[in-house]
Amino acid sequence: MLEQNIRVKAKDVSFYYGQKRALKDLNINFFTNKVTAFIGPSGCGKSTFIRLLNKMNDLIPNTRAEGKILLDDENILDKKVDAVKIRRKIGMVFQKPNPFPKSIFQNVAYGLELCSMSKKEMERVVEESLQKAALWNEVKDRLRDNALGLSGGQQQRLCIARCLAVEPEVILFDEPCASLDPISTSKIEELILELKKQYTIVIVTHNMQQAARVSDWTAFMYIGELIEFSPTKEIFVVPKEKKTQEYLSGRFG
Amino acid sequence: MFSFKERAIKFIFSCLAFSCLLFLLAIVVILFWQGAPLFSYMDFSQFFFGKSWYPTSQPPEFGIFPLISGSLIVTLGAMVVCVPLGIGSALYIYELSGPNSKKILKPIVEILGSIPSIVFGFFALTIAAPAIQQFFNIPTGLCALTASIILGIMAIPTITSISEDALSFVPNSFREASYALGANKFQTLFKVTIPAAASGISTSVILGMSRIVGETMTVLMVSGGAAVITSSFFSPVRPMTATIAAEMGEAAFGSLHYQALFAIALVLFMTTLVFNVIAERISQKYALKLGANR
Amino acid sequence: MKNIIIEKTGFFLITMCIAITGLFLALLIYFIVSNGINVLSFEFLTQPPKNSMTAGGVAPAIVGSFYLTVGAVIVALPLGLACAIYLNEYSPKGLVASAIRISVNNLAGVPSVVFGLFGLAFFVKFLGFGISILSGSLTLAILILPAIISTSQEALSAVPNSIREASLALGATHSQTIRKAVLPCAFSAILTGVILSIARAAGETAPILFTAAAFYKRDYPDSIFSETMALPYHIYALMTEGTSPDKQVAIAYGCALILLLIVLVISAGAIVLRNKYRRQNA
């Protein structure tokens, strides 16, 4: 991979919960218009790591990060960097669908209302985002209905649309299908493959098959360390590390 | 979090919260400030155990023992009314009412809990006192008994509502275990559910008691107003709250009488504070006890 | 067989408990409604009292109660809500926060007459507001403040963290998150607490006894510094002062009925609202 295709670059990243070190010297690059998947047993730090990318861990008291995560030559981990600005560039979709208890329209428009935008423009962006999230046809006649009335899979796609509306460059998915049924899951996976044409995507998943299906690069983490980072095609066929091989063959985790 | 505006907003909220705290603390400070000077005139034992309350005679006497005894007798009587009726009603709502009537009964209990005390006092004065006077054939219906009954009824919604919450909080698995061993409904209720909810029920009783001790308008209207030590439910009494409400209007600002009334308020404040702390302790223990099972 | 008899008797006694309670409360409501309903009329609600409280209406008392209650809510709501937001969203573990928590917990059970004395010493005398709507409203505000803080704080803490995360992840600032995501979610629960506090403030007598209430005023209050009549106090005054008890009792029944209706309707509204959103959230 060429250096200019790197969208986000993490260098020697460590993270502490109080005294406990949860991440140890992670080095990883995320490439433009590629999907990078994080796999590993629960508690290995994959979620902790991707939450560093959009400064969500700032909200947890008594934590500390070391190292650098560079986005456009700016170190995200620097305390002085504005979290709001970073989060507008790096969007996030969470494990459990978390729509606001508002209408479908208001949910997608939430991020737009934060900056001033004309009503017409807003309606256009909402429709566009819902279409990109493959939800428009299902909800176009009931945009004023409460979002909590949607099914779980629809809610998650709404959360994706909501994230797309603020026009991020990178999208983080934190186990987006953990609480969804197989049909909804496959819809979200299709969507991710569609979205990578425009965005840089990072996904955390419990499900190795899912990583194999959607990602271009796969990172395997174990107890706070990055064990292996290779193209997905290689890691599932010929893992370089013994730990990776053991995990992939189901010996632990 | 980094912008000036965000910091300014946080600062404003801190200021508002802090002023809230000041207001709440001011209550304690003011009570002490206004009430404490009394004790340079007399000592604690004279105040608490003095047998006569003659605030306007020369020299005035500020022994609150008769007032304390008035509060005690009325509270005691009210507890006799409200504890069985309150808990019994809670048991009925919990165990015997169907799911539909439960949905109606619970809110009704809560709504009745918001009836103002002046309405109870008015009812007591116009209806209950004459009825009690006739029924027991006593010289006046304005006595400890009337006050007790009315206060007892007033506290029932508090007790019922909190007890019922405590009962429904008991995990269903406890009851199922008991049923599976062949116990009937009544045995399960008394041997399993009530013991499991015991601390919640005692909390409700303490909070009900706290409400009775602090109740003012009702006792002011129906307790009869005599500041004498008595052990009879049929004689008029003058609880602490009624004394404050009745005499504050006449006490000159800053006078000994005024200070004495603030000192009584302090006693009331401390009493309810103690009740509150006990109730909180119990419910904390309770949370620990059931916490493991949920 | 013995078990069945015990069970039957036990359940009979329990049923009697609720029957007696219900009977008492039904009697109370019956007497107040049946005696008060004859007094109620358009004039009663809209006219000031006449012939030294023996005739006419109680409009100034209704208006006075309205001012006192509204005043209390205007002061207590922003203060209490801001306090709750600070407790839950800004500094849940700070020193000020725990001090507030302790005072709120312990002041909730303090008798209302004690609040009345505080109002007398602090607002009426120390700050020099005199016996006035202002003093009365402020006293009532302090009385309902603990309840408003604790219900609002509970409402805020019931908002799941995922809502806050969702909002922050979309690039909202902390204050935008509170205003646009957290508060709307907690709105109906906060509203319930506030409405219940309104019912409480409207019905309280002891706190306004020395801070705001006047037995007889021919006019409506004209500023926040004037004394005022108030419904609950008016009932008390009618029963304990004045010259012609018979005529006054009739008026007192009318006042009691109005007060009862106001308070019951307000709190019923609050509880219906609460049960509705509880069902929604379940």
Side-chain angles (χ1 to χ4, degrees):
Chain A
M1 273 288 163
L2 291 168
E3 187 71 14
Q4 65 256 39
N5 285 334
I6 296 173
R7 191 72 197 84
V8 183
K9 188 180 182 76
K11 271 177 81 178
D12 300 323
V13 174
S14 292
F15 187 74
Y16 300 83
Y17 289 105
Q19 293 299 316
K20 196 180 149 260
R21 195 176 188 187
L23 296 176
K24 285 172 209 151
D25 297 324
L26 255 73
N27 285 290
I28 194 166
N29 296 325
F30 301 110
F31 304 105
T32 312
N33 296 357
K34 297 287 174 211
V35 178
T36 308
F38 277 85
I39 57 171
S42 26
C44 69
K46 13 183 229 302
S47 289
T48 305
F49 179 70
I50 75 157
R51 285 168 65 96
L52 276 179
L53 295 175
N54 67 341
K55 291 177 91 71
M56 290 308 275
N57 283 344
D58 287 12
L59 308 171
I60 308 167
N62 257 327
T63 56
R64 185 165 57 87
E66 282 170 2
K68 278 183 181 171
I69 298 177
L70 296 171
L71 170 78
D72 300 332
D73 295 324
E74 201 172 22
N75 180 10
I76 293 172
L77 295 181
D78 190 339
K79 287 271 176 212
K80 287 191 206 91
V81 171
D82 187 359
V84 169
K85 213 177 83 196
I86 296 295
R87 289 174 191 150
R88 297 209 138 231
K89 279 191 195 167
I90 304 185
M92 186 168 204
V93 175
F94 295 84
Q95 191 166 357
K96 262 175 80 181
N98 55 355
F100 300 114
K102 302 179 172 197
S103 75
I104 293 168
F105 183 89
Q106 283 172 320
N107 259 283
V108 184
Y110 185 88
L112 307 171
E113 282 169 3
L114 301 174
C115 44
S116 47
M117 184 181 263
S118 75
K119 197 154 188 292
K120 247 210 161 119
E121 178 74 359
M122 199 181 280
E123 277 170 6
R124 189 187 63 77
V125 178
V126 167
E127 175 176 346
E128 201 181 281
S129 310
L130 282 168
Q131 266 170 351
K132 276 194 203 164
L135 192 61
W136 175 252
N137 288 332
E138 291 160 61
V139 300
K140 63 182 177 209
D141 302 322
R142 45 179 180 141
L143 290 174
R144 306 282 153 203
D145 290 1
N146 195 314
L148 297 177
L150 297 174
S151 74
Q154 288 174 323
Q155 286 187 6
Q156 194 62 305
R157 275 180 284 148
L158 178 68
C159 291
I160 295 173
R162 186 174 68 179
C163 172
L164 297 177
V166 290
E167 291 172 355
E169 295 158 24
V170 181
I171 305 176
L172 312 173
F173 287 88
D174 188 357
E175 300 193 31
C177 304
S179 57
L180 300 183
D181 59 276
I183 294 171
S184 306
T185 302
S186 74
K187 275 192 183 154
I188 303 269
E189 286 177 8
E190 275 169 37
L191 189 54
I192 290 174
L193 290 173
E194 188 61 34
L195 290 173
K196 81 169 181 182
K197 292 173 189 161
Q198 285 182 50
Y199 305 91
T200 302
I201 290 174
V202 182
I203 176 171
V204 164
T205 176
H206 248 99
N207 180 336
M208 283 176 266
Q209 284 75 38
Q210 184 170 60
R213 283 193 298 265
V214 301
S215 70
D216 305 295
W217 287 76
T218 297
F220 171 62
M221 283 183 71
Y222 185 67
I223 328 181
E225 281 181 274
L226 181 65
I227 305 291
E228 183 168 353
F229 178 52
S230 316
T232 304
K233 278 177 200 143
E234 292 170 24
I235 200 169
F236 281 96
V237 184
V238 274
K240 287 182 209 122
E241 303 288 330
K242 194 161 167 280
K243 264 269 175 299
T244 318
Q245 194 189 349
E246 281 175 3
Y247 180 71
L248 291 176
S249 59
R251 215 159 299 167
F252 66 90
Chain B
M1 228 172 282
F2 303 90
S3 72
F4 173 74
K5 195 180 150 202
E6 286 297 304
R7 272 190 228 173
I9 293 173
K10 182 175 180 182
F11 180 72
I12 292 169
F13 275 110
S14 319
C15 287
L16 287 171
F18 192 68
S19 54
C20 252
L21 180 63
L22 287 185
F23 268 124
L24 300 177
L25 293 180
I27 297 171
V28 188
V29 174
I30 294 271
L31 287 183
F32 270 99
W33 181 39
Q34 302 286 309
L38 178 77
F39 296 106
S40 59
Y41 171 78
M42 59 197 294
D43 59 34
F44 282 107
S45 66
Q46 277 175 303
F47 179 66
F48 281 108
F49 300 111
K51 290 197 176 54
S52 35
W53 174 261
Y54 296 122
T56 47
S57 63
Q58 282 303 328
E61 288 184 70
F62 301 111
I64 63 166
F65 194 72
L67 315 180
I68 295 179
S69 77
S71 281
L72 272 180
I73 193 168
V74 169
T75 306
L76 200 74
M79 298 303 284
V80 172
V81 176
C82 71
V83 171
L85 290 182
I87 297 177
S89 303
L91 292 177
Y92 179 87
I93 295 175
Y94 173 73
E95 188 70 59
L96 297 179
S97 70
N100 283 328
S101 48
K102 189 171 179 171
K103 255 185 232 150
I104 299 169
L105 281 174
K106 268 222 89 171
I108 286 183
V109 169
E110 281 179 87
I111 293 166
L112 289 174
S114 66
I115 296 178
S117 60
I118 186 77
V119 173
F120 276 100
F122 173 67
F123 171 76
L125 194 58
T126 48
I127 308 288
I132 286 171
Q133 182 184 4
Q134 260 182 6
F135 186 77
F136 290 100
N137 197 18
I138 45 179
T140 171
L142 303 180
C143 61
L145 180 68
T146 316
S148 293
I149 293 176
I150 298 298
L151 287 182
I153 295 170
M154 287 177 69
I156 289 175
T158 309
I159 294 186
T160 303
S161 174
I162 301 175
S163 293
E164 211 279 330
D165 284 343
L167 288 166
S168 358
F169 213 62
V170 175
N172 240 336
S173 55
F174 282 25
R175 302 168 65 199
E176 282 165 3
S178 169
Y179 287 136
L181 293 171
N184 65 21
K185 247 182 158 184
F186 188 75
Q187 287 164 329
T188 305
L189 184 62
F190 272 78
K191 298 217 164 113
V192 175
T193 315
I194 293 179
S199 22
I201 295 174
S202 7
T203 304
S204 80
V205 170
I206 292 166
L207 292 180
M209 197 151 91
S210 175
R211 177 161 185 200
I212 292 167
V213 172
E215 193 42 64
T216 310
M217 296 318 289
T218 313
V219 290
L220 178 62
M221 291 168 91
V222 297
S223 63
V228 292
I229 303 169
T230 176
S231 56
S232 162
F233 273 104
F234 294 127
S235 50
V237 291
R238 178 167 214 160
M240 292 187 279
T241 49
T243 311
I244 298 176
E247 294 175 14
M248 199 35 124
E250 298 144 26
F253 176 66
S255 65
L256 276 176
H257 188 190
Y258 179 90
Q259 292 168 2
L261 294 177
F262 269 89
I264 298 177
L266 257 182
V267 174
L268 277 173
F269 178 80
M270 293 299 175
T271 315
T272 47
L273 198 68
V274 168
F275 283 158
N276 215 324
V277 171
I278 295 174
E280 199 150 300
R281 280 284 151 78
I282 293 177
S283 59
Q284 264 171 17
K285 258 193 183 164
Y286 168 66
L288 282 179
K289 209 170 101 188
L290 282 185
N293 297 304
R294 292 192 306 133
Chain C
M1 190 60 209
K2 195 177 138 223
N3 278 344
I4 293 174
I5 294 172
I6 294 177
E7 182 171 32
K8 285 251 147 67
T9 340
F11 283 153
F12 174 73
L13 288 176
I14 289 173
T15 312
M16 285 311 291
C17 283
I18 196 160
I20 294 171
T21 308
L23 182 71
F24 268 126
L25 292 167
L27 272 180
L28 174 116
I29 291 173
Y30 167 76
F31 274 109
I32 288 181
V33 172
S34 65
N35 287 308
I37 200 91
N38 305 323
V39 188
L40 284 198
S41 66
F42 186 68
E43 278 79 47
F44 189 74
L45 295 172
T46 54
Q47 295 296 311
K50 289 188 203 112
N51 303 340
S52 60
M53 292 294 149
T54 55
V58 293
I62 298 175
V63 172
S65 272
F66 178 75
Y67 284 154
L68 285 170
T69 313
V70 169
V73 173
I74 287 177
V75 176
L77 178 58
L79 211 54
L81 190 56
C83 201
I85 290 175
Y86 178 79
L87 282 183
N88 207 63
E89 306 295 322
Y90 280 106
S91 175
K93 288 187 181 137
L95 201 66
V96 175
S98 42
I100 292 174
R101 246 181 230 121
I102 293 170
S103 3
V104 164
N105 279 346
N106 289 313
L107 284 174
V110 169
S112 52
V113 70
V114 174
F115 283 93
L117 282 200
F118 165 73
L120 170 66
F122 192 63
F123 298 122
V124 177
K125 303 287 185 190
F126 185 73
L127 295 181
F129 295 155
I131 295 182
S132 61
I133 292 181
L134 182 60
S135 299
S137 289
L138 289 171
T139 309
L140 287 173
I142 303 281
L143 176 83
I144 59 174
L145 191 56
I148 290 193
I149 295 175
S150 64
T151 51
S152 307
Q153 202 251 320
E154 261 167 47
L156 290 172
S157 69
V159 175
N161 244 332
S162 63
I163 293 289
R164 292 184 187 88
E165 286 190 335
S167 168
L168 290 169
L170 290 170
T173 63
H174 195 172
S175 66
Q176 284 170 331
T177 300
I178 294 170
R179 187 161 46 94
K180 301 188 117 186
V182 180
L183 280 180
C185 287
F187 179 75
S188 41
I190 293 174
L191 190 65
T192 311
V194 172
I195 297 175
L196 285 176
S197 304
I198 292 176
R200 170 134 197 240
E204 278 289 354
T205 319
I208 57 170
L209 212 49
F210 333 110
T211 55
F215 174 39
Y216 183 41
K217 283 206 67 171
R218 205 178 294 275
D219 320 316
Y220 295 94
D222 51 6
S223 90
I224 54 169
F225 290 105
S226 53
E227 293 183 8
T228 180
M229 291 172 68
L231 267 183
Y233 180 73
H234 197 54
I235 299 172
Y236 172 68
L238 285 169
M239 295 308 292
T240 52
E241 288 173 45
T243 45
S244 42
D246 296 346
K247 288 178 188 160
Q248 288 175 201
V249 169
I251 297 176
Y253 267 116
C255 290
L257 179 58
I258 299 170
L259 187 62
L260 194 66
L261 282 178
I262 292 175
V263 171
L264 290 188
V265 166
I266 294 176
S267 57
I271 286 163
V272 168
L273 179 75
R274 190 192 59 197
N275 291 352
K276 206 174 131 196
Y277 77 67
R278 271 196 190 155
R279 256 203 309 284
Q280 271 173 4
N281 290 356

